[in-house]
Amino acid sequence: MAEFRYEDMLPLGEDPTPYRLLTTDGVETVEGPDGRTFLKVAPQALELLAETAMHDIAHYLRPAHLAQLRTILDDPEASPNDKFVALDLMKNANIAAGGVLPMCQDTGTAIIMGKRGQQVLSEGTDERPLSKGVFDAYTKLNLRYSQNAPLTMWEERNTGSNLPAQIELYADTAPGHENTYKFLFMAKGGGSANKSYLYQETKAILNPASMMTFLDEKIRSLGTAACPPYHLAIVVGGTSAEFAMKTAKYASAKYLDSLPTSGSMSAHGFRDLDLEAQVLELTRQMGIGAQFGGKYFCHDVRVIRLPRHGASLPVAIAVSCSADRQCLGKITPEGVFIEQLEREPAHYLPETTDEHLEGGDVVEIDLRKPMAEVLAELSRYPVKTRLSLNGTVIVGRDIAHAKIKERLDAGEEMPQYLKDHPVYYAGPAKTPEGMPSGSFGPTTAGRMDSYVDQFQSAGGSMIMLAKGNRSKAVTDACHSHGGFYLGSIGGPAARLAQDCITSVELLEYPELGMEAIWKIEVKDFPAFIVVDDKGNDFFADVSRPTVLHLQGPTKS
């Protein structure tokens, strides 16, 4: 007969996180029955912790993440484009650390996961003060409201506060945790959230060769829309599809780093360190790099193996992007604590600047010239050419494109501003007082793919600026109509706002908020030619699988 065994499916080790004390207010211990001591937590302690966490992860990064960016700059094998992107992301981190401009314009969905010890007491519904902390952070700071309330199946409206937050609270019954309330805080932008995938596979992939073939294809399909270099998480197995997906999300945040590194008949999850190293090497040979070619598509990889039903093999893949926004928090009898993020990232910056980087030739593009002249200038250069843009750019994304399409379908003309100027797919965060712009990085280009042929046929969107790869339909449209897609670096929204955007003017649809159509003036705005007017697409080559074989298990 089988022996009864019990172990937590995700047995975490000791927590090595450095914390800083926020307050001792709102926390006290009280004596209860049977000589037990209880931790009493006031609502204001939960509120303060949530508000501080959302502030900190919008502006600060973990030291380990910054050290990985610096590694790219110091690596002689990194491509010039890898180094250029890494340096821009480090500059962005320094600007964001000032506490005014958030590191990314998509300040994300607020996600809170809490584990409450058995002897923690609180008043009422804990989700309420946690939500209030999120509300205070987003309404007081220069963050963006991205949450839409569904009014009917087809109609929705922005909530104007970035609520609701996703809050999940669990009981923590582990010995020694009785008087501890622990939290993971995340701000998940749409770009990285959209790169969470579930695949229902079979045992046929549970061998080294098949697994590598599978991962080679699926990892390439992530593309660059979520702003690499990524922290990549892969989960193989799971007692349900939703558990596999949730585990992948936690793994991408390094929350599960202290898992065991081997399995047992207790059927707990574990990290496969060998497979992590081999998949990381695979990503470095793909050629995608840190957005525009090179080695650093991923900073690191986490691979977690879970138990599974014999008839089901879920595989989950998730990423944390260049805005690596998460931190831990805890409430103990000693007070309210939050993870210590890096507040002074400047010491990770090298002495060199982008002007000194190898292969740093940049083509200046004057957007003040007529569109035909700008297109002719771009046509002189191959894909991957690095550009510096100066002049007027129109800003519009999903809803704005839908509005323009409605006008074209009704027989109206393409707006002249889309004929005369490039279009930048973006949506700004709030503008700080005294600044021309709030954080204003690019959004995922692929969501606008279906509009390109129609818009270019009508003379608009001849130059598009955004992040990530595009479909073949866009390449074909640019080839037919003489257009271009320029890739902007995904991630450095604060730097673009401070250094590259000199003015922002509302053009149309003010009722759409950040989804309105804007006109901006840019200077020294960095971009790369990704799709040209000759049918070339930089990402087409790096999307083709080239399998690196895994080593099989070592025999003793």
Side-chain angles (χ1 to χ4, degrees), residues 16 76 79 114 159 193 293-294 307 361 401 429 472 507 532:
S79 73
T159 62
D361 292 341
H401 276 68
K472 188 174 184 299
L507 280 188
D532 67 13

Side-chain angles (χ1 to χ4, degrees), residues 56 85 90 101 117 268 362 453 460 490 540:
D56 284 8
V85 170
M90 292 184 75
L101 291 166
H268 58 76
V362 182
D453 187 60

Side-chain angles (χ1 to χ4, degrees), residues 527-542:
F528 294 78
I529 299 176
V530 175
V531 176
D532 67 13
D533 56 348
K534 305 171 188 67
N536 299 308
D537 175 6
F538 159 66
F539 287 110
D541 289 337
V542 297

Side-chain angles (χ1 to χ4, degrees), residues 26 57 295 356-357 421 434 525:
I57 62 180
K295 173 180 175 181
H356 301 114
L357 293 177
H421 306 292
F525 194 106

Side-chain angles (χ1 to χ4, degrees), residues 31 37 58 89-90 103 195 202 218 294 332 343 362 408 451 475 491 495 512 536 545:
E31 295 305 311
T37 300
L89 291 171
M90 292 184 75
M103 68 181 74
K195 297 303 178 182
T202 70
K218 302 308 182 187
T332 71
R343 289 170 168 257
V362 182
L408 296 177
Y451 301 101
T475 304
R495 196 189 83 76
L512 300 182
N536 299 308

Side-chain angles (χ1 to χ4, degrees), residues 410-445:
E412 298 181 33
E413 287 286 316
M414 171 65 67
Q416 192 63 38
Y417 53 73
L418 281 180
K419 294 181 178 182
D420 293 341
H421 306 292
V423 59
Y424 179 36
Y425 304 156
K430 282 184 277 187
T431 300
E433 185 175 350
M435 297 189 69
S437 172
S439 291
F440 212 151
T443 198
T444 303

